[in-house]
Amino acid sequence: MVPSETIRDQFCPGRHRLWTVVALLLGQLAIGCTPTSMRSQSPEDFERVLADVRLVGDVSIPFGLHPLIIERVGLVTNLQNTGRDMPPSATRAMLISEMQRRGVDHPSKLLELPSVSAVIVRASLKPGIEKGDLFDVELSLPNGCETTSLCDGLLMPVRLREMRVAVADNQLHEGQDMGLAKGPLMEQPAADSDSPNMHPQARIPEGGVALQSRPMGMVIKRDEQSVRNSSGIASSVNQRFFFRRNGIKVGVATAKTDRYVELVMHPRYKDNVSRYFQVIRNVAISESPSQRQMRMQLLERQLLDAVTSGTAALRLEAIGADAKHVLMQGIASSDAEVRFYSAEALAYLDDPSAAGPLAAAARDESAFRARALTALSAMDDPSAYDELATLLDSPSAETRYGAFRALWTMNPRDPAVRGEKINNQFSLHRVKSKGPTMVHVTRTFRPEIVIFGADAKLRAPLILNAGRGIIVRDIDATHLSVSRFAPGQPDQKREISTSVVDLIHSIAEVGGTYPDVVQALKQAKSSGALECRLEIDAVPKNDRSYVRPNEEEEGVPGEVASAPAHAFPVDGPSPNLYPTDSPEGVAKPRHENQSGHAPETGAAAGDGQVDSAASPTEESGPAGVKKDSPAPGIPDETDKAAAAEAPPESWPLARRVGKMMGRILPAAPSDP
């Protein structure tokens, strides 16, 4: 008997084929309903969809992003007969007027003394600085002043102001007091230029205190000004960044007017202000889920290409937590640049997977070191702390000290890096390290001495001059004497061991200052009395270029290699944790912020394209990426408030007025 199944097959010969076709159709429909169908989109499709996405950077530009230069003429005392008076000038008249205002009798005769000198006091207030924050101060000699040295000098208190030339009357005007500077001077190395007076002759680490906070925010472009745009920017930014006050979520952005949105610094970005603004400029004001998904697919492609990886990682960071899975693919890449940029973005999202790759980048690639350490210091996850602690054992001086500064920035109360305050002038830190013993001192950022590893020792015979009247000499192979002789004061003397720590304490006990201690250490090293390594300002540099391994050129044996032909600058904004050329203030612990409460990062919020760090007005190349927003303060359509924030090299008016105060700034705009 023929089975019933066979009979049905004979009468329905296409039955199996029909079910096969139906199954294939259902499979295609199921696949078409998933986001992966977007992978077949052409570049034109991406560009058409993303053209409707409005970003914060499309309608506004940053305000308060650039350093603010403040300055004033001041008076240095306590010189060792090296001071000289200056010829009559506007600078001298200004100083005499200020001295008379303070009740000084016969100021002209005082300026003739060889123990005093007029100086130009100058400082740079970093973006987002708050009232009470400390900053470094630089001193140079006025034109015509023939003072030979500022060694052992002491700057008398001076209030620093912004000096500007008003366009209306072309006259020099002083702004309001922005900072107060004073303290003992650290003399700088001699200038190599033909105009030594243009070079700072001395510096005071943490010698200034901010008297006012600097506002920062986003200025709405003139043709985009409306309450709707202002409130839309604030709402979108607050989805990405917020903090909690009394259990209530409070955003970092406040719409003040239809043309200005005020921002509060998020503590995770306090040492990378430029990056903070770039992320905010890339927050989407309005974006559908499908548009965001399509954008993330485009950025995923760009992330895995070393040429576009840096910009893509920043843009993914602007999306927030939803972009983590894409960045995770980047840290698994075999390309060092892709791994670094991906890990850096993940660090600012506080993802623990970023710690290992960033520590490797800081240890192995000097071009990435400053940014890698800054990103690690921004994390709250314990994995970042552990990785930084291991870098304290590195043989590289700047890696070791860079890791120390990152740990101190994370938590200055951590016993591993807390140290002790000496005479309320400077800090002394003893750090456990498996590496060779090293002593590090700073001339910028904050006055501190860090001793890595075992206690450093001094070797006899030695005789050191630690400032005015302070002499250090050996008694025998294991003991030293520290003596101070000052007119009208009793002699002081201490007998100590050959420990560098004891030497530092003793110099401070007899009245020595931080510059005195640094001078003694430098003399000890130059004379061979200090056995270990001594480093000064060995900080990671922000301006190094990365040489891609497959593009290195072989050098000629016996010749000094020039800059590689295929060296590329590291893409993205530079952090301000390791200032070198121009001091921009001291880093502040992340938990101490303007509100007194620690902000939190929102989960998945807006996204957007970031302007290229290298060229903020050029096209960004790959299809689907919109033209970047103009650079802050430059475009014609922006307000004067934003235009005044242009960097110094773009200022149309920069000249001297009557030999006074060095650089002159542009006219002050009205506040938004």
Side-chain angles (χ1 to χ4, degrees):
M1 186 175 185
V2 180
S4 58
E5 290 82 359
T6 304
I7 295 174
R8 285 196 296 269
D9 290 344
Q10 290 175 353
F11 285 95
C12 303
R15 177 172 175 270
H16 290 302
R17 287 196 299 268
L18 177 62
W19 283 111
T20 301
V21 172
V22 170
L24 290 174
L25 288 174
L26 290 174
Q28 290 294 328
L29 288 174
I31 294 173
C33 292
T34 63
T36 55
S37 64
M38 297 182 183
R39 297 182 184 276
S40 61
Q41 298 286 341
S42 66
E44 292 76 14
D45 294 332
F46 278 113
E47 191 168 353
R48 184 173 57 256
V49 173
L50 298 182
D52 297 330
V53 178
R54 297 268 286 177
L55 310 176
V56 171
D58 293 334
V59 299
S60 64
I61 59 174
F63 173 82
L65 181 56
H66 298 286
L68 176 67
I69 306 302
I70 57 176
E71 52 195 339
R72 203 81 182 279
V73 58
L75 184 69
V76 169
T77 64
N78 199 48
L79 299 178
Q80 300 186 42
N81 296 323
T82 57
R84 301 291 185 272
D85 196 2
M86 56 188 303
S89 64
T91 303
R92 190 176 190 275
M94 179 181 291
L95 180 57
I96 290 177
S97 176
E98 178 65 19
M99 294 168 69
Q100 290 174 338
R101 190 182 68 84
R102 297 194 178 197
V104 177
D105 295 330
H106 310 295
S108 295
K109 292 185 177 180
L110 179 63
L111 291 177
E112 296 174 0
L113 298 177
S115 60
V116 303
S117 175
V119 291
I120 300 300
V121 186
R122 185 172 181 267
S124 172
L125 298 184
K126 68 178 182 179
I129 194 170
E130 298 176 8
K131 183 178 180 180
D133 285 357
L134 303 178
F135 55 85
D136 289 0
V137 175
E138 292 181 344
L139 295 90
S140 57
L141 297 176
N143 288 339
C145 182
E146 298 181 354
T147 295
T148 58
S149 174
L150 295 177
C151 183
D152 295 332
L154 180 68
L155 176 66
M156 303 303 291
V158 55
R159 290 180 175 267
L160 305 181
R161 300 174 178 176
E162 190 177 11
M163 309 295 291
R164 297 195 177 197
V165 172
V167 176
D169 57 5
N170 200 33
Q171 297 295 317
L172 180 68
H173 294 270
E174 293 185 0
Q176 52 190 334
D177 294 340
M178 297 294 295
L180 177 66
K182 62 178 181 178
L185 277 56
M186 294 189 66
E187 198 171 26
Q188 293 290 97
D192 296 328
S193 64
D194 296 332
S195 302
N197 284 9
M198 297 296 293
H199 180 84
Q201 272 76 36
R203 173 175 280 142
I204 310 176
E206 283 192 347
V209 58
L211 300 179
Q212 298 187 44
S213 299
R214 286 193 62 195
M216 61 181 184
M218 303 299 294
V219 176
I220 313 297
K221 296 178 182 178
R222 184 168 300 169
D223 56 351
E224 298 284 355
Q225 291 176 4
S226 68
V227 174
R228 179 179 180 181
N229 279 340
S230 180
S231 60
I233 289 174
S235 176
S236 300
V237 171
N238 288 338
Q239 292 181 45
R240 181 66 174 85
F241 298 108
F242 59 87
F243 59 90
R244 295 189 180 276
R245 179 183 297 158
N246 298 326
I248 301 175
K249 185 168 70 173
V250 181
V252 300
T254 303
K256 290 293 187 180
T257 66
D258 62 347
R259 60 187 289 265
Y260 182 65
V261 178
E262 186 179 68
L263 294 174
V264 174
M265 176 60 64
H266 190 286
R268 199 176 302 283
Y269 291 84
K270 69 181 179 59
D271 293 316
N272 204 337
V273 181
S274 297
R275 191 180 191 96
Y276 182 51
F277 272 100
Q278 286 205 12
V279 172
I280 287 177
R281 292 183 69 188
N282 287 280
V283 172
I285 302 176
S286 60
E287 181 180 40
S288 68
S290 60
Q291 288 172 326
R292 173 176 294 183
Q293 187 64 37
M294 186 172 291
R295 174 107 55 84
M296 290 175 62
Q297 291 177 20
L298 173 62
L299 294 176
E300 179 182 344
R301 300 177 186 177
Q302 296 174 358
L303 180 69
L304 301 179
D305 185 343
V307 176
T308 55
S309 182
T311 303
L314 253 171
R315 294 168 175 170
L316 288 165
E317 180 184 331
I319 295 177
D322 281 354
K324 283 187 178 182
H325 70 281
V326 180
L327 293 167
M328 292 290 289
Q329 298 181 38
I331 63 174
S333 171
S334 59
D335 187 280
E337 288 178 276
V338 175
R339 288 197 308 272
F340 167 70
Y341 292 129
S342 302
E344 185 181 29
L346 282 170
Y348 288 99
L349 297 174
D350 200 31
D351 191 285
S353 59
L358 286 177
R363 181 175 53 251
D364 302 331
E365 179 52 60
S366 61
F368 298 150
R369 187 168 295 144
R371 288 175 51 175
L373 292 172
T374 302
L376 284 169
S377 73
M379 296 178 64
D380 292 322
D381 193 88
S383 59
Y385 180 93
D386 294 339
E387 293 292 351
L388 286 171
T390 62
L391 293 177
L392 295 174
D393 302 330
S394 171
S396 165
E398 69 174 45
T399 302
R400 296 172 80 182
Y401 177 70
F404 164 82
R405 183 176 290 187
L407 287 168
W408 181 87
T409 304
M410 267 184 157
N411 182 12
R413 299 180 182 89
D414 179 9
V417 296
R418 181 175 54 198
E420 58 179 316
K421 199 74 172 179
I422 306 296
N423 284 358
N424 204 32
Q425 291 187 23
F426 63 97
S427 299
L428 173 62
H429 306 264
R430 284 173 279 184
V431 178
K432 293 182 179 179
S433 174
K434 297 178 182 178
T437 302
M438 182 181 78
V439 177
H440 185 277
V441 300
T442 56
R443 291 181 300 195
T444 61
F445 189 75
R446 58 189 298 263
E448 66 182 10
I449 301 173
V450 186
I451 300 176
F452 294 88
D455 187 13
K457 299 289 185 180
L458 296 167
R459 179 173 52 195
L462 66 83
I463 181 169
L464 309 174
N465 178 14
R468 175 176 291 185
I470 302 178
I471 303 297
V472 181
R473 65 173 68 243
D474 61 292
I475 299 176
D476 53 40
T478 59
H479 294 85
L480 307 175
S481 70
V482 179
S483 306
R484 180 176 185 179
F485 309 96
Q489 299 181 17
D491 296 343
Q492 300 186 62
K493 186 174 182 180
R494 302 286 190 278
E495 291 190 6
I496 60 172
S497 70
T498 56
S499 165
V500 169
V501 173
D502 290 347
L503 174 67
I504 294 171
H505 281 114
S506 297
I507 293 176
E509 287 173 4
V510 299
T513 62
Y514 177 65
D516 295 335
V517 174
V518 174
Q519 178 179 326
L521 292 174
K522 291 170 63 177
Q523 287 186 12
K525 184 61 181 177
S526 62
S527 65
L530 181 61
E531 299 176 343
C532 68
R533 187 175 183 179
L534 174 66
E535 294 290 340
I536 301 176
D537 289 332
V539 297
K541 306 297 189 297
N542 289 318
D543 56 355
R544 290 174 177 152
S545 297
Y546 175 73
V547 181
R548 292 172 184 160
N550 59 337
E551 296 180 349
E552 290 184 348
E553 296 184 348
E554 294 184 10
V556 179
E559 294 185 2
V560 178
S562 59
H566 300 288
F568 295 87
V570 181
D571 194 11
S574 297
N576 45 290
L577 182 59
Y578 303 100
T580 51
D581 296 332
S582 179
E584 294 184 359
V586 65
K588 190 169 58 175
R590 190 162 60 247
H591 58 275
E592 297 177 8
N593 58 71
Q594 178 171 310
S595 64
H597 300 271
E600 301 173 359
T601 303
D607 165 42
Q609 282 82 12
V610 179
D611 56 313
S612 171
S615 180
T617 57
E618 65 182 359
E619 292 283 355
S620 189
V625 181
K626 296 188 295 184
K627 188 174 181 179
D628 295 320
S629 300
I634 302 300
D636 295 334
E637 67 269 19
T638 60
D639 293 287
K640 293 181 180 179
E645 291 299 318
E649 54 267 24
S650 68
W651 291 340
L653 181 61
R655 62 188 178 87
R656 290 184 175 274
V657 178
K659 297 184 179 180
M660 64 183 300
M661 307 306 279
R663 183 179 297 174
I664 302 301
L665 308 184
S670 58
D671 290 334

